């Protein structure tokens, strides 16, 4: 919400995604410590951004807030690439791993069957991570410590309202810890300078996860304009890691 009194306007951004994702991963035969994977994503996206003045709101004129009406819609194909490398030569911990992911390799602009001016494009992003697993104690299976340098823009959509990661280096830094206790996992850490917490329940055919974290809305750095988020996810399937 921008402005004051009669000059007030409301900026609205809405994005709706749906589609089919297929993932595949494996360890490489020439090095069992190197694991690679790929996601293939066929997505349909609708959405955009629009500003409404106080007069529009008062008159209820042209207040179309449906994602299909704000900008446009279209379909597109994109890919995510990832790799994890085990570091057996490091003397501490039960395991040490480094990871690399490249999301939205094509930075797709959804040009297939496009309607209207077109929806927001995808942002190509690079992330790096490191994880150490330490031996557990009593009823605790193990301790996992992680650091994540997440989502550096490498082209594609550059608007932060559409999902691009811009601003201070500290907005890309995450720290975390996970404590598995049987089928329960307790998690805590820092994301963009703010506290995070989570719980996970891993059953035979169901995995339930809850998390809370904060996004920094200011481009200049953490500690200025936090937006607290809450997430709940349910995954169904049969398999093992």
């Amino acid at each position: 919400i921008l402005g004051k009194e009669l000059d007030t306007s409301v900026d609205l951004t809405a994005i709706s995604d749906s589609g089919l994702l297929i993932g595949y991963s494996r360890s490489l035969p020439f090095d069992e410590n190197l694991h690679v994977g790929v996601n293939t994503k066929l997505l349909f996206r609708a959405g955009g951004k629009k500003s409404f003045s106080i007069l529009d709101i008062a008159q209820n004129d042209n207040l179309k807030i449906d994602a299909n009406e704000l900008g446009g819609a279209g379909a597109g194909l994109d890919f995510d690439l990832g790799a994890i490398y085990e570091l057996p030569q490091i003397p501490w911990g039960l395991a040490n791993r480094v990871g690399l992911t490249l999301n939205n390799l094509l930075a797709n602009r959804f040009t297939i069957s496009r309607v209207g001016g077109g929806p927001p494009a995808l942002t190509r992003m690079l992330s790096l991570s490191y994880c150490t697993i330490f031996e557990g104690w009593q009823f605790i299976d193990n301790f996992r410590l992680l650091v994540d340098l997440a989502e550096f823009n490498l082209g594609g959509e550059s608007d932060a309202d559409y999902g691009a990661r811009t601003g201070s280096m500290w907005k890309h830094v995450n720290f975390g810890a996970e404590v598995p206790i049987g089928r329960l996992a307790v998690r805590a850490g820092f994301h963009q300078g703010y506290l995070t917490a989570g719980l996970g329940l891993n059953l035979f055919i169901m995995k339930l996860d809850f998390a809370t974290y904060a996004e920094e809305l200011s481009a200049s750095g953490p500690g200025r304009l936090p937006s607290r988020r809450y997430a709940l996810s349910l995954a169904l399937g049969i398999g093992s890691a």
Side-chain angles (χ1 to χ4, degrees), residues 174-177 185-200 208-216 226-233:
N174 305 307
F175 299 95
V186 181
R187 306 178 182 109
F190 290 91
H191 171 69
Q192 299 189 4
Y194 299 105
L195 182 66
T196 69
L199 289 173
L208 182 67
D209 289 292
F210 170 78
T212 178
Y213 64 99
E215 291 279 348
E216 175 56 64
S227 175
R228 175 61 57 177
R229 314 290 174 86
Y230 301 90
L232 181 66
S233 69

Side-chain angles (χ1 to χ4, degrees), residues 12-15 45 47-50 70-71 118-123 157-165:
L12 176 67
T13 301
I15 297 175
R45 168 171 285 195
K49 182 165 55 176
K50 191 170 184 179
L70 285 178
L122 294 176
T123 302
E157 182 61 61
S158 59
D159 190 332
D161 287 340
Y162 291 155
R165 295 296 186 185

Side-chain angles (χ1 to χ4, degrees), residues 70-132:
L70 285 178
L77 179 69
D78 218 317
F79 303 92
D80 301 327
L81 302 177
I84 295 175
Y85 188 73
E86 308 276 353
L87 301 170
Q89 66 274 22
I90 295 182
W92 63 80
L94 300 176
N96 293 274
R97 301 167 180 154
V98 292
L100 179 149
T101 60
L102 184 61
N103 294 99
N104 307 320
L105 181 63
L106 304 180
N108 200 282
R109 297 188 175 276
F110 301 99
T111 57
I112 302 173
S113 303
R114 176 174 283 191
V115 177
L122 294 176
T123 302
R124 185 186 300 112
M125 292 183 290
L126 174 71
S127 298
L128 303 171
S129 62
Y130 176 82
C131 171
T132 296

